[in-house]
Amino acid sequence: MDTVRTRFAPSPTGYLHIGGLRTALYAYLFAKKNGGKFILRIEDTDQERYVDGSVEIIYRTLKQAGLNYDEGPDVGGDYGPYVQSERKEIYLKYAHELVERGGAYYCFCSKERLEELHASGATKYDKHCLHLSKREVERRLAAGEPYVIRQNIPESGVSTYHDLVFGDITVDYKDLEDNILIKSDGMPTYNFANVIDDHLMRINYVIRGTEYLSSTPKYNLLYQSYGWELPNYIHLQPIMKDATRKLSKRYGDASYEDFIKKGYLSEAIINYIALLGWSPKNDMEKFSLKEMEEMFSIEGLSKSASIFDETKMRWLNSLYIKDMTDEEYYDYAIKFFDQVPYLKGYDYRLLASLLKGRTEVFSDVGKLTEFLTEFDGYDLSAFENQKWKTDGKLAKEMLPDLIRLTEENAENNFATLHDALVEYAQSKGYKKGQVLWVYRIALTGSLVTPGGAIEMAQLLRKDESVRRLKESLNRL
């Protein structure tokens, strides 16, 4: 068997969206599972849609995601160049050969004629220039008339090919148009360049979206015109935003880098998108890239579209965060702490230890610490707790003593403050939980905090803790 060679061939038209990254992932996994090669090719023939900096985003995203390609524009290889705009002369050579073989023809139709054709109700090009004599074609070429090269699709018959996910696919030739292969500026269209490149780069497994299922017969005709062997096809169902809309960068849906900025870990993103269209045999949901390489199979690919569920990705991300060491969490969290202005001046180490078990994505650190800025004017009903039988009246009784104990015990060692509060509860006949509930609410004004009463006092430090306790007493 020939060495498996797959490719990811994105267009540099902006950020790398999640659907594109999943295609890259599956192409990478299939190659690695089968001891093959994974190739990156940049398809930049549509210069009007080219976005500066997007090639670098593609390189950066694939490398951060761990999808290291064996050949590509920035790493080299035996079949370059790997950027289509650098291969223009190659496409022209093969296009002219295709005309000689009868698989394509020169088209000199003006924009006005094509518009009239469309206005007349025609749904596709009418092969007008196919019937020009060889002499007429040569005369027009010699005169420097602008032209395109169109593929010559049979007017009747059907094409059947095999897809490794969907089985046999049959398309009627009458439903296909004589698409342009070479534009008037001499640049190839996707329909032509991807076939030439896939053949010359020895790509034998083509993995792409189902939107190409119906146009694959056009590509097969090109292979057959040259007498080339067809590749194997694996078409993937789209990732959906909801039941009716595809996830798309055109509609501003998040990219890989957007999710990284929101505080998702790269491993979690890759893990989650692997599950959007593929099910491992063992029904595992959390696995490393290395484990994916071992488990991946075409049999697990779905024939149905998948809906992107960020809640599920958040949950998966939280599992990866829990697996981090305290030091890893701290190192990663620092830049997110820095993005929350009011956290400046707080003990980041202590914050990290308090937040690690509660963080689903790192951008949560703001939401988890809102109590630090929302203390003024908090709802005094927070003191009411049925379990501990506390309310504002009980809090008012306790707070003078809690303020005193804080002033006496919260200098540096907060363990002594804990012991002092426990002893206080025992001496007054309160339950420990009652004292700690009142203390925490009086400190934070919040029902939900990332730590208990003592940890909150430690985070706020002595002076701010005393100030807040006094403020709560004044309000009561």
Side-chain angles (χ1 to χ4, degrees):
M1 176 182 161
D2 292 339
T3 300
V4 167
R5 288 177 64 82
T6 67
R7 49 77 166 169
F8 177 50
S11 298
T13 56
Y15 65 70
L16 184 51
H17 67 100
I18 291 298
L21 185 58
R22 186 195 61 173
T23 300
L25 174 62
Y26 289 175
Y28 169 87
L29 293 175
F30 186 76
K32 295 306 165 189
K33 175 69 182 285
N34 294 284
K37 301 285 187 183
F38 171 56
I39 291 89
L40 173 66
R41 182 171 74 230
I42 302 297
E43 298 198 339
D44 62 344
T45 56
D46 190 347
Q47 292 293 306
E48 289 181 9
R49 294 179 63 220
Y50 181 86
V51 175
D52 283 342
S54 50
V55 173
E56 287 68 31
I57 290 174
I58 292 165
Y59 295 158
R60 189 166 65 238
T61 299
L62 293 179
K63 284 168 184 172
Q64 283 181 2
L67 307 184
N68 297 315
Y69 36 95
D70 300 288
E71 300 168 28
D74 58 333
V75 298
D78 295 335
Y79 302 96
Y82 294 91
V83 177
Q84 285 187 337
S85 59
E86 298 172 16
R87 299 170 64 83
K88 182 176 176 181
E89 297 309 314
I90 297 172
Y91 306 127
L92 289 172
K93 167 179 171 286
Y94 279 97
H96 293 133
E97 181 183 331
L98 189 63
V99 171
E100 294 298 317
R101 290 172 175 268
Y105 57 94
Y106 296 99
C107 175
F108 301 93
C109 287
S110 66
K111 182 181 177 186
E112 289 73 26
R113 183 185 184 276
L114 295 175
E115 286 174 351
E116 285 173 15
L117 186 67
H118 180 70
S120 71
T123 56
K124 60 181 185 178
Y125 182 67
D126 60 358
K127 287 184 178 284
H128 174 75
C129 289
L130 174 64
H131 307 298
L132 298 176
S133 68
K134 188 173 183 184
R135 194 171 183 178
E136 175 71 2
V137 169
E138 288 173 350
R139 182 189 70 75
R140 290 188 167 197
L141 290 174
E145 283 191 37
Y147 68 87
V148 298
I149 295 178
R150 289 183 181 273
Q151 185 174 6
N152 185 15
I153 304 282
E155 294 185 75
S156 62
V158 297
S159 169
T160 299
Y161 70 95
H162 186 73
D163 179 85
L164 293 173
V165 176
F166 292 92
D168 289 342
I169 306 290
T170 299
V171 176
D172 199 316
Y173 284 133
K174 70 176 175 10
D175 295 329
L176 303 177
E177 181 170 14
D178 287 5
N179 286 111
I180 294 171
L181 303 180
I182 298 292
K183 295 178 281 190
S184 57
D185 62 0
M187 289 296 279
T189 60
Y190 168 84
N191 290 312
F192 188 57
N194 90 88
V195 169
I196 301 302
D197 288 344
D198 282 348
H199 172 72
L200 296 180
M201 294 179 185
R202 308 258 194 275
I203 304 301
N204 49 14
Y205 284 85
V206 172
I207 302 174
R208 60 187 173 212
T210 50
E211 64 267 30
Y212 295 106
L213 273 174
S214 61
S215 55
T216 294
K218 292 187 296 192
Y219 311 138
N220 289 344
L221 280 171
L222 293 173
Y223 280 101
Q224 289 157 358
S225 294
Y226 292 112
W228 296 339
E229 187 177 343
L230 298 181
N232 298 284
Y233 292 111
I234 300 171
H235 285 90
L236 308 172
Q237 283 282 21
I239 300 173
M240 305 295 286
K241 186 186 187 81
D242 52 39
T244 58
R245 293 178 297 168
K246 279 172 63 173
L247 204 66
S248 170
K249 65 181 176 185
R250 187 174 300 170
Y251 303 117
D253 289 318
S255 70
Y256 168 87
E257 290 201 332
D258 290 332
F259 285 119
I260 291 292
K261 285 173 187 166
K262 281 168 83 171
Y264 286 88
L265 296 167
S266 180
E267 301 92 330
I269 299 170
I270 293 300
N271 187 159
Y272 179 65
I273 65 172
L275 295 169
L276 292 173
W278 170 66
S279 301
K281 288 178 182 174
N282 56 16
D283 291 331
M284 279 174 65
E285 290 193 292
K286 181 177 180 290
F287 32 69
S288 66
L289 187 60
K290 197 74 193 160
E291 288 171 322
M292 277 185 246
E293 291 174 22
E294 294 165 4
M295 294 188 292
F296 189 77
S297 68
I298 294 173
E299 293 74 33
L301 292 175
S302 175
K303 293 181 182 179
S304 305
S306 303
I307 293 180
F308 188 89
D309 179 1
E310 191 171 347
T311 302
K312 174 78 176 285
M313 191 164 79
R314 281 182 69 92
W315 166 78
L316 200 53
N317 198 68
S318 73
L319 300 185
Y320 278 88
I321 289 176
K322 286 182 175 68
D323 284 346
M324 297 175 97
T325 65
D326 291 346
E327 196 64 28
E328 286 169 340
Y329 179 92
Y330 171 75
D331 289 341
Y332 204 89
I334 287 174
K335 60 179 176 288
F336 292 92
F337 293 157
D338 283 341
Q339 290 170 22
V340 183
Y342 60 76
L343 291 182
K344 298 259 191 320
Y346 283 98
D347 182 342
Y348 278 6
R349 287 268 174 201
L350 178 57
L351 266 175
S353 69
L354 294 175
L355 299 178
K356 180 169 179 263
R358 294 170 180 263
T359 307
E360 289 190 327
V361 297
F362 280 90
S363 56
D364 285 350
V365 298
K367 185 176 67 179
L368 291 169
T369 55
E370 284 174 346
F371 66 91
L372 292 171
T373 61
E374 296 184 349
F375 179 73
D376 293 343
Y378 71 87
D379 189 344
L380 293 174
S381 67
F383 285 108
E384 295 170 12
N385 183 299
Q386 288 185 339
K387 177 185 175 184
W388 296 117
K389 296 183 174 53
T390 60
D391 56 20
K393 184 181 176 186
L394 184 64
K396 190 176 177 182
E397 287 176 16
M398 288 184 181
L399 272 169
D401 291 324
L402 300 185
I403 291 166
R404 175 179 56 78
L405 292 170
T406 305
E407 289 174 327
E408 292 172 357
N409 294 280
E411 198 60 55
N412 291 305
N413 185 358
F414 283 83
T416 62
L417 175 61
H418 176 267
D419 293 344
L421 293 178
V422 172
E423 286 174 19
Y424 167 73
Q426 291 171 343
S427 67
K428 294 288 188 178
Y430 298 131
K431 291 180 179 173
K432 172 184 165 186
Q434 287 179 304
V435 173
L436 294 178
W437 179 270
V438 167
Y439 193 88
R440 187 172 63 83
I441 298 299
L443 269 183
T444 66
S446 177
L447 292 169
V448 180
T449 56
I454 305 305
E455 291 163 321
M456 293 301 94
Q458 190 174 356
L459 181 65
L460 292 164
R461 295 191 283 263
K462 178 183 175 180
D463 289 349
E464 176 63 8
S465 294
V466 170
R467 186 193 74 77
R468 285 180 170 228
L469 294 173
K470 287 180 177 178
E471 174 67 21
S472 290
L473 178 58
N474 287 339
R475 290 195 59 214
L476 285 166

